[in-house]
């Protein structure tokens, strides 16, 4: 039972820092709105940084018993080699596995884009921000799921 407080950990990759900062802003703006909407429930969050998206599942697993929910933010941009597919697929798989194994929601906000312009559009401070979408999905599952 959650009670009157939700503790959330935002784990973000520093690799494309401007993109991650946009995702964080979208999510935290959304969370602050939810504090008003969810009468009697306070949403607290903390932010931890990872060097890249690949390290995010490790950090979530490390703190799995300390938080009610998690947000995973990062950006993986397609390059000239198979590296993009390996990292994108394995990070997504491990985050899904973690969510099921620790029985806690993890909002997936790791962008997988063809180029930096696509990532900037998805992390911009507007209604298309994927950080806000990930926070919405995570809180929806936590509160209603």
């Amino acid at each position: 039972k959650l009670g009157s407080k939700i503790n959330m950990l935002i784990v973000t990759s520093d690799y494309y820092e401007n993109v991650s900062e946009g995702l964080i802003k979208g999510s935290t703006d959304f969370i602050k709105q939810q504090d008003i909407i969810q009468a009697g429930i306070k949403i607290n969050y903390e932010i931890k940084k990872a060097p890249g998206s690949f390290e995010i599942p490790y950090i979530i697993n490390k703190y799995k018993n300390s938080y009610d929910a998690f947000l995973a933010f990062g950006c993986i941009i397609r390059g000239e080699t198979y590296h993009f597919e390996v990292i994108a697929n394995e990070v997504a798989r491990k985050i899904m596995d973690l969510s099921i194994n620790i029985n806690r929601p993890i909002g997936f906000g790791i962008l997988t884009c063809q180029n930096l312009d696509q990532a900037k559009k998805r992390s911009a401070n507007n209604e298309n921000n994927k950080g806000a979408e990930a926070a919405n999905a995570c809180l929806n599952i936590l509160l209603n799921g």
Side-chain angles (χ1 to χ4, degrees), residues 8-12 24 28 45-49:
M8 179 178 283
L9 180 63
I10 300 171
V11 183
T12 182
I24 291 169
T28 56
Y45 62 87
E46 186 176 345
I47 299 169
K48 296 218 180 272
K49 296 190 176 187

Side-chain angles (χ1 to χ4, degrees), residues 14-64:
D14 261 352
Y15 199 81
Y16 292 100
E17 193 170 12
N18 290 342
V19 172
S20 293
E21 290 299 324
L23 295 169
I24 291 169
K25 178 162 178 30
S27 70
T28 56
D29 286 352
F30 182 84
I31 289 167
K32 289 171 189 168
Q33 291 172 350
Q34 295 307 299
D35 278 350
I36 296 165
I37 295 168
Q38 298 292 334
I41 298 178
K42 174 72 176 150
I43 304 167
N44 298 317
Y45 62 87
E46 186 176 345
I47 299 169
K48 296 218 180 272
K49 296 190 176 187
S53 293
F54 190 76
E55 293 79 20
I56 291 172
Y58 172 84
I59 293 173
I60 292 172
N61 189 59
K62 181 177 179 179
Y63 293 99
K64 65 187 174 194

Side-chain angles (χ1 to χ4, degrees), residues 47-130:
I47 299 169
K48 296 218 180 272
K49 296 190 176 187
S53 293
F54 190 76
E55 293 79 20
I56 291 172
Y58 172 84
I59 293 173
I60 292 172
N61 189 59
K62 181 177 179 179
Y63 293 99
K64 65 187 174 194
N65 296 320
S66 301
Y67 296 90
D68 303 306
F70 300 86
L71 295 176
F73 294 143
C75 179
I76 306 167
I77 295 178
R78 184 178 299 281
E80 297 178 9
T81 68
Y82 185 63
H83 186 254
F84 169 88
E85 285 84 359
V86 171
I87 298 299
N89 291 338
E90 292 304 314
V91 168
R93 182 186 63 81
K94 187 43 69 181
I95 287 175
M96 178 57 72
D97 288 349
L98 265 172
S99 183
I100 291 166
N101 291 338
I102 67 175
N103 199 31
R104 300 225 187 342
I106 302 173
F108 189 81
I110 298 178
L111 306 179
T112 52
C113 300
Q114 299 295 327
N115 53 55
L116 193 54
D117 187 52
Q118 286 180 348
K120 287 178 181 177
K121 287 178 183 173
R122 287 161 177 76
S123 62
N125 190 17
N126 60 37
E127 66 278 355
N128 297 320
N129 185 287
K130 301 303 178 188

